[in-house]
Every structure is written in structure tokens, then in C-alpha cells.
Amino acid sequence: MTVSAATAPATAPAPSAAPAPAASGIRFDQVSVAYGRHGEHTVLDSFDLTVEPGEVMALLGPSGSGKTTALRAVAGFVQPASGRVLIGGRDMTGLPPHKRGIGMVVQQYALFPHMKVAENVAFGLKAQKTPRAEIPGRVAEALEMTGMAAYAGRHPRELSGGQQQRVALARALAIRPGVLLLDEPLSALDAQLRSGMLAELARLHRELPDVSILYVTHDQIEALTLADRIAVLDRARLQDCGTPQQLYRRPRTEFTASFVGTANLLPVTVRGDGVDFGGRPLTVPVGDEVAEGAAATLCVRPHLIGLGESPRPGGGNTLRGTLTEVQWRGATHRLYVAVDGHRVLADVRELRTTPALGDEVALHFAPEDAVLIPAGLTGGGAPDA
Amino acid sequence: MPRTDTETDTEAATAAGTTGRTPAAGADGATDTAMGRVTDAGTDGAPDAETGRAPDAATAASGGSGAAPPTRPSRPRRAGAALWALPPVAALGLVFLYPLALVVWQSFTPEDGGHSTAPYATVLDEASFRTALTNTVLIAVGATVGALLLGLVLSLVIAFVPFPGGRALSRFIDLFLAFPSFLITLALLFLYGTVGMANGLWTDLTGAAHGPLDFLHTPWGVLLAEVTYFTPFVMRPLLAAFSQLETGQLEAAASLGARPWRIVRTVILPEALPALAAGGALVLVLCLNEFGIVLFTGAKDVVTLPMLVYTKALLDGDYTGACVVAVVNIALSVALYALYRTVMARTGGGAGPRSGGVPHRAGA
């Protein structure tokens, strides 16, 4: 990547030494956003989050969770009813979008149809009064970065979806923002293209280590793949925040458990060293925060459940139930087993012979693969931001 | 399907309308010209109706692509379809083409009988004709420029500056188009006439004999009235064009550091140009043929071609001369309209689809 290599070693965290280092890092300080004449529709409630300089933070959640609102609050298109938005440590809450030093890419690309690709990319540079002589170089650099250098003379309507998205990215990157805002940028692309673009975004993130990226998505795969940390939102509140591994292996709430990956959630009661599931004792790690006899939820991921009795002598957990459905998914079989009225999903490697529906089957999982979620944690508490 | 200039035409815009009103409501008094068809729910196949090719032209409504109809037995179909065109063509012929032909015929008939181009020579020589022609063109051009500027500013404000009552205002502007044109002049007379309110206020305050405003019967009065009346004709297509603008583009421009004026200049105006051209062409042609407004302001000082037709035919009894002037008027309008169509055909292809994203093709 030419940019980082060509500049003198800078003490400031910026790709080039000549212009002032672009402010990086985002902080949401108890940001609330509401619509309606008296603010009766809350779309974001006391949102508190810090994105470190150079970090990729994914905002993950279902529709209506407030993630796009949070992103637009950073961009300046939405005014918070209360709270502050800080970019690079500076309070940007009252500033209009053109003064915030951000780059933005949206789902519909929003390229300017009357301008060629090169002019689209140069737009921000001209708007920010970059010296004329510099513009062609910066445009070329941005197009190189996204692999669109050969299309500089085309119009947006002549490009495919993936190409247009890359041009939109180049346009946002050309102005060298400290903060890059991506609002479901891959949602309009087909699955094949999406995985390719994810890899490209990951590469760009490595090439631009000083740019904070806020990535809004409802797709957990995108979040798990790309993000350094994920913030899970639901119904206008922040539910959970952590690295992808933390959220996946040790979800704090039931919502996180079921939204980030698939999960089996079994209601259990804490008993001594383990839990009791409908009369069956199970051995799982029990932390100090749950009291004896307390109700809790046991979370086990389907791919960690095996078919048959537990191979561990004396250890391991076995559940017996009736097979209600089998789905073949190419590389795996998904089994739906009714245990005590609860439905348990198990994803096993493709079976040569599947059990018949209605058969009694045994499922097993290791104690360390289960997570205990204390009852009542549907979310809303202060996560480790 | 890629959009062509026919969809950005003011015909489609005023006909489709954001309020879904019938197009005829917006018609001016100028039914004596070919532009009467401008307010039809527009196919550009309309001129072909006379030659009976209407069905084919009518089916190519979204435009001029010349797509052939499916290859089924077309002969019996074509003949059948042509029969459907007969009633409207006959009506058109009777009500419109026949009188038009008569006018043209009459213009070649001098008073002393026979047929020649002598009437043309006579009329074209008259000073009053040349004045009328100059007046007509100057006023029309001036009013068009005024309406375009005012219409653009108002449309920008209504579309992009959120203020309470913005929607009501744009509905009210639609209502404007239902008024007869001379009503505007009447209103202006009440306000600015020699015995109008403004002058009355002045005389009350200063005790002068009469007020300073005395311009309504000059070309400036006509200009003011026409700009007031025709601005909504520019605003309708403009507001329609602006409502289709992706807000995503405006936001993208803002996020890249563009201030509002730059956004207007580089993102909004290019979208507005087809609507501006369509609106401008429409207003130009309507102004050329405007009669009610000019008549109402007091014809003595301002003579335009339609006024000349009126005075010659009804006041002077010189029907031949009137027909000559009418033919010149029609020729002028048609020529301008043809010019507009040629220009739009040349540049309309470059406008392309409005959207800069959400592609028609998938895959990289």
C-alpha cells in the first residue's frame, strides 16, 4: 500500500504526515435519539460506547434496534435529544455533517449518476478544497486501494453492484477520514460477492490501521468476520459488547446468545456443582454470580452437541429425547430432538445413516462447551465497553 | 428499462402530476395552436395519429425505443387496431385540423379574390406587425427566464428546506394552475393598478393626486403577470424531479464535506436540468401564445401576435391579415417546439437513469 510506505515515520497516528492527522476514535456519551412531537418514539436510549482509534466496531442487531440511528448520529444526520457524540476526542454533537471529517458508505451506494467514477471519487477532495494539483494523485490512490483504477472513466450506471460499492468506498477513503461509517454496505450484494467484499474490507482495514470503522449490519457472519469488537443492539438499547469470540463463546444475555450464532437455551436450576434440567443433573461450570437454587438459562451451541452417548466415562452430559426432524445441509445434518418438551438442535457432521423420525436418540456435550446465563438478563445492563 | 427524455418531459410531468389531477385543468387559453396537444397524457406518437399509425406509436409510450410488437399475425391485428384510431382521429380532424386548414387557406386569399402570397407581403411589411413580433418574443423570453429563476428558487426551498407548511404550499401551487390566466392580471390590477391598493395607500399617506405605480399597462406589467402565472408550470416538473432525487446522494455529498451551495450546484442542479428545460420550453411556448393576460392589461401599449390576430379579425375586420398573423404565430410555436425536441433528443440520452446505485445487474 503506497500511502503508509511513502510517508515519513510520523508520531501522530495518520497515514500521511503533511495534512493534520485525521481524528480517529468515536465515543457515544449517553446518546438518546427520539422522534415525535414530544419525543415519544425513542429510537436510541442512553447509548454509551467507545470505539478506539483504528478499531472495527460492528453494530449488530435486528431491524429497528437503533444501530443505523447510532451511525447517523455520528455522521450528523440525526440530532441526539440528549448526550454527546465525540469524534477523535472532540465534541461533534452540534456540528453539521460536512465539518466532521468522516467518510460514509451506504447500502444503496449513492454514487452521483451524472459524474464519472473519477469525478465521483474527486468530489470530496474538491469539496474540501484540496489543491488542484494533488487531486488526480489522490483519486488514483483511492481507486488503486479498492481495485477500481481501470474504471475511472466509466459512469456509475455502467458498473455492477460490487463495482459501484467499491467506487463508493474509494470515494469515502479519498478524503482520508479518521472515521469510516459503513451502513449495511454489503446487503444489496449477492452472497458470493459479499464474502469477496468482506475479505477486501478486511484487507483495507489492515492497510489503514489508523481509521476507526463503525460497521452497521444485521448479518452476524459479517460482524463475526470483520469486527474487532461487536456491539449488540436490540430495541434501542445496547445489549452487549465484546470481541466476537467473547460474544460467541460467553454470551452475557439470552438475546446475544441467540442473535450471535444459533443457540439452544434450556431453562435450568442451579444445583451444587452443576445444574438441574427437568430432573436431570448436568455438569457445567457454575460461576459465583449465581446462587444455589437460582433459575438460569443454559446455552449450548448446536455444533458442539454430538449424537450418541457421551464418550467420556463418568463425565460429559447426555440428554435423551425423541427425534422430531432431520435436515440435510450438505456438510452437516441438523437434528431436532424433543427433550422434555424442549427442542434441542444439534449440528453433526454428515451422517451416513440417519436415525428415523420418532426414534429415541441420545445427545451429548462437554461441560466446558456450555454457558450459564443468570436468569433475568435479557439485556440493558452496562456492558464492558 | 432505461429512462429516456420522454419521461422527463413536462407533458408527462404535468399530466402525471404529483397530485394526480387531470392534465386538461392546467391548459391555458392557447388552444389555437399545435401546443394544445401539450397537455395530453403524453406520447410523442400523437403527431403520427393523423397518418393512422397511432396504435404503434401509442404502444411505445415509454419511449421511442422502436421496439417491434411481438411477431404474431400482425395484418389483421393492425387493421383492427387502426379502426380504433378512427374516432379520435376524426374528432381531431373535425375540431382542430379542419379549422386550422381553413385559417391557412384564408391567409392565402387576398380581399380582391384569387390566391396568392400577397397578403403575406402586406402584413409582414406593416410596422405594427414587426412591433408585435418583437414584443411577443421579448416578453415571452423575459417571462420564461423570470419563471425559471423564480421557479427554481421556490422549488429548491420547498423541496429541501424543511419548513412547516411546505407541503401545503406545494399543493397550493398546484391549485394555481386551475386559475384562468387573466385572473392574475385582475389581481395585479387590484394591487398595483392606477386605482389599486398600493397607489391608494400612497395617496392616503402622502395626499398626492395619484400614486407612483403606473406600470401595469406597459410590457413590464405583462411580464410580471406572466411570471407570476407561469412559475407554477416550472415548479411542477421541478418538484417532481426533486422528489425523485435520492436523499442518499445528498447525504453522501454532505458527509464528503460539501456545503449546501456546492450540493445544490453539483448534485441537485444536474438532476433539475431536464425538468428545467422541459418547464422552460413549455412556458416559452405558452407565453408566446398568451392572450388573456395581454388583453386584460390594456392592449393599447402592448401588442403581441395573438393580440394582433384579435384586433385584425374582430376590430378591423381584416380576416385575411389575421390569418396571416395566426400562421406566423403557429409557425413560431411549432418551430420552437421542434427545436426543443431536437435539443432534448440530443442531450436527453446523456441524462440516463436517475439512480447512481442499486444496479440492474448483479455480480461483479
Side-chain angles (χ1 to χ4, degrees), chain A residues 120-287:
Chain A
N120 262 281
V121 176
F123 185 87
L125 295 169
K126 286 195 202 141
Q128 298 188 1
K129 309 276 197 289
T130 315
R132 280 263 174 95
E134 271 186 42
I135 294 184
R138 295 272 291 263
V139 168
E141 170 194 322
L143 288 173
E144 275 290 326
M145 240 196 277
T146 52
M148 295 296 293
Y151 297 86
R154 304 257 190 109
H155 280 272
R157 62 175 173 277
E158 301 170 38
L159 303 176
S160 69
Q163 293 168 335
Q164 292 191 35
Q165 195 57 291
R166 285 197 222 126
V167 172
L169 253 178
R171 184 177 64 175
L173 291 174
I175 51 177
R176 296 199 187 136
V179 164
L180 192 59
L181 305 173
L182 303 173
D183 188 358
E184 308 207 33
L186 307 183
S187 296
L189 306 174
D190 61 74
Q192 188 94 347
L193 204 48
R194 213 175 295 171
S195 48
M197 284 295 294
L198 270 175
E200 296 229 6
L201 284 172
R203 176 182 61 82
L204 277 171
H205 172 49
R206 284 193 298 273
E207 290 181 6
L208 300 169
D210 305 306
V211 178
S212 300
I213 300 181
L214 194 61
Y215 190 100
V216 165
T217 180
H218 59 269
D219 185 319
Q220 44 170 299
I221 305 292
E222 289 175 23
L224 288 174
T225 317
L226 202 54
D228 296 325
R229 279 195 301 153
I230 303 179
V232 180
L233 282 88
D234 184 35
R235 282 171 292 174
R237 311 204 98 233
L238 177 66
Q239 300 291 326
D240 212 340
C241 180
T243 67
Q245 290 75 19
Q246 283 171 351
L247 290 184
Y248 190 79
R249 301 221 172 93
R250 295 277 168 260
R252 234 175 35 92
T253 67
E254 288 187 30
F255 180 78
T256 309
S258 54
F259 200 80
V260 184
T262 343
N264 291 301
L265 298 170
L266 306 171
V268 296
T269 325
V270 180
R271 282 266 179 276
D273 265 345
V275 296
D276 179 284
F277 174 52
R280 300 171 189 71
L282 299 172
T283 317
V284 293
V286 176

Side-chain angles (χ1 to χ4, degrees), chain B residues 93-137:
Chain B
L94 187 65
V95 169
F96 180 76
L97 293 173
Y98 178 58
L100 191 62
L102 276 185
V103 166
V104 176
W105 186 244
Q106 179 73 20
S107 68
F108 285 105
T109 320
E111 287 194 5
D112 36 340
H115 298 284
S116 70
T117 55
Y120 279 87
T122 329
V123 171
L124 292 174
D125 231 3
E126 290 171 13
S128 66
F129 173 79
R130 286 199 290 276
T131 322
L133 184 60
T134 323
N135 272 348
T136 310
V137 173

Side-chain angles (χ1 to χ4, degrees), chain A:
Chain A
M1 180 50 237
T2 54
V3 175
S4 325
T7 59
T11 48
S16 76
S24 190
I26 308 171
R27 175 148 156 67
F28 294 90
D29 187 5
Q30 296 292 318
V31 173
S32 290
V33 179
Y35 291 128
R37 187 164 298 182
H38 308 290
E40 56 264 18
H41 303 294
T42 309
V43 286
L44 197 62
D45 193 3
S46 300
F47 190 65
D48 204 292
L49 188 70
T50 306
V51 180
E52 304 296 333
E55 177 181 38
V56 176
M57 169 75 76
L59 295 182
L60 180 65
S63 328
S65 52
K67 51 193 198 296
T68 301
T69 307
L71 183 123
R72 287 166 68 84
V74 177
F77 297 122
V78 154
Q79 285 308 312
S82 64
R84 301 183 303 155
V85 173
L86 294 96
I87 300 178
R90 281 179 52 211
D91 189 349
M92 300 274 186
T93 316
L95 289 184
H98 61 257
K99 290 194 182 144
R100 295 195 179 203
I102 55 170
M104 192 156 118
V105 178
V106 297
Q107 185 178 346
Q108 307 86 10
Y109 328 129
L111 295 177
F112 305 126
H114 297 275
M115 302 182 199
K116 298 199 182 129
V117 161
E119 289 160 2
N120 262 281
V121 176
F123 185 87
L125 295 169
K126 286 195 202 141
Q128 298 188 1
K129 309 276 197 289
T130 315
R132 280 263 174 95
E134 271 186 42
I135 294 184
R138 295 272 291 263
V139 168
E141 170 194 322
L143 288 173
E144 275 290 326
M145 240 196 277
T146 52
M148 295 296 293
Y151 297 86
R154 304 257 190 109
H155 280 272
R157 62 175 173 277
E158 301 170 38
L159 303 176
S160 69
Q163 293 168 335
Q164 292 191 35
Q165 195 57 291
R166 285 197 222 126
V167 172
L169 253 178
R171 184 177 64 175
L173 291 174
I175 51 177
R176 296 199 187 136
V179 164
L180 192 59
L181 305 173
L182 303 173
D183 188 358
E184 308 207 33
L186 307 183
S187 296
L189 306 174
D190 61 74
Q192 188 94 347
L193 204 48
R194 213 175 295 171
S195 48
M197 284 295 294
L198 270 175
E200 296 229 6
L201 284 172
R203 176 182 61 82
L204 277 171
H205 172 49
R206 284 193 298 273
E207 290 181 6
L208 300 169
D210 305 306
V211 178
S212 300
I213 300 181
L214 194 61
Y215 190 100
V216 165
T217 180
H218 59 269
D219 185 319
Q220 44 170 299
I221 305 292
E222 289 175 23
L224 288 174
T225 317
L226 202 54
D228 296 325
R229 279 195 301 153
I230 303 179
V232 180
L233 282 88
D234 184 35
R235 282 171 292 174
R237 311 204 98 233
L238 177 66
Q239 300 291 326
D240 212 340
C241 180
T243 67
Q245 290 75 19
Q246 283 171 351
L247 290 184
Y248 190 79
R249 301 221 172 93
R250 295 277 168 260
R252 234 175 35 92
T253 67
E254 288 187 30
F255 180 78
T256 309
S258 54
F259 200 80
V260 184
T262 343
N264 291 301
L265 298 170
L266 306 171
V268 296
T269 325
V270 180
R271 282 266 179 276
D273 265 345
V275 296
D276 179 284
F277 174 52
R280 300 171 189 71
L282 299 172
T283 317
V284 293
V286 176
D288 293 328
E289 69 272 6
V290 273
E292 172 72 22
T297 307
L298 192 68
C299 166
V300 191
R301 301 283 179 194
H303 70 275
L304 295 169
I305 300 183
L307 187 61
E309 299 277 340
S310 169
R312 290 195 200 176
N317 302 298
T318 305
L319 291 173
R320 269 170 255 279
T322 323
L323 187 65
T324 56
E325 201 177 320
V326 177
Q327 276 177 10
W328 175 62
R329 292 167 160 220
T332 59
H333 268 107
R334 173 166 280 192
L335 307 168
Y336 293 74
V337 179
V339 178
D340 229 8
H342 296 282
R343 194 182 69 170
V344 177
L345 264 61
D347 284 337
V348 300
R349 279 233 300 270
E350 196 195 4
L351 300 167
R352 304 246 179 240
T353 46
T354 56
L357 296 182
D359 274 3
E360 271 267 320
V361 293
L363 300 173
H364 68 269
F365 61 92
E368 59 267 21
D369 286 338
V371 180
L372 199 62
I373 301 172
L377 266 189
T378 49
D384 46 345

